[in-house]
Amino acid sequence: MATNILILCTHNSARSVLSEGMLNHWAKEVGADVHAFSAGSSPSGRINPMAIEVLKRAGIDTSGYRSKSWDEFTGDSAPTMRVVITVCDNAAQETCPYWPGSPVKIHWGYPDPSNVGPTDTEKMAAFESTRQAIGERMQKLAEVPFDALSDAQLRVALEAI
């Protein structure tokens, strides 16, 4: 059975989308039965084009990507999440809804690349740097032996990453 991981940011336009793309990429690369989803508490309705661009440059297929509300993952028909990760400090401070399955929750904060520099060149460099930092962590996450770990053991493994 696949391990589902939900990655949250407030607007679901950059960091959570980068995380979803990179985790799904690494899961495929290492042959892990892991599936990442991303969402936001107040989705912007659009994904930052620079996030899409750096994912595409890294060889990630972004077709079908869209900005989603975390409400999509709380209903009876939602996939059961094993892990919920917040990647922006605002989302980490919000009261999350009940997630089916009572997943392990952790915060891995990243600065918002949208707030860097006045030029597109500076912003694009910040997006690429953020993608790389997220990608390194997501590669390690894809290698976690989820089926062999209790929730307490999983929390320790996630904190070590």
Side-chain angles (χ1 to χ4, degrees), residues 1 10 16 26 35 43-44 50-51 53-54 56 77 85 87 89 94-96 98 101 107 110 115 124 145-146 148 154:
M1 179 190 284
T10 303
S16 54
W26 283 116
H35 189 79
S44 66
M50 290 186 180
E53 181 61 28
V54 297
K56 284 182 179 178
S77 62
I85 302 169
V87 291
D89 295 338
E94 295 175 314
T95 302
C96 289
Y98 167 78
H107 177 63
Y110 298 92
N115 294 332
M124 189 60 80
F146 291 97
L154 178 57

Side-chain angles (χ1 to χ4, degrees), residues 17-18 22 51-60 62 65 131:
V17 173
L18 292 170
M22 293 310 300
I52 295 295
E53 181 61 28
V54 297
L55 286 170
K56 284 182 179 178
R57 288 181 186 177
I60 312 263
T62 61
Y65 278 36
R131 185 201 64 77

Side-chain angles (χ1 to χ4, degrees), residues 62-119:
T62 61
S63 60
Y65 278 36
R66 63 184 176 83
S67 182
K68 302 173 288 300
S69 170
W70 66 12
D71 294 338
E72 291 184 33
F73 299 94
T74 61
D76 293 338
S77 62
T80 299
M81 298 298 158
R82 177 82 195 272
V83 177
V84 172
I85 302 169
T86 51
V87 291
C88 70
D89 295 338
N90 289 344
Q93 295 172 11
E94 295 175 314
T95 302
C96 289
Y98 167 78
W99 307 111
S102 299
V104 174
K105 297 174 191 161
I106 193 157
H107 177 63
W108 290 343
Y110 298 92
D112 186 352
S114 304
N115 294 332
V116 173
T119 69

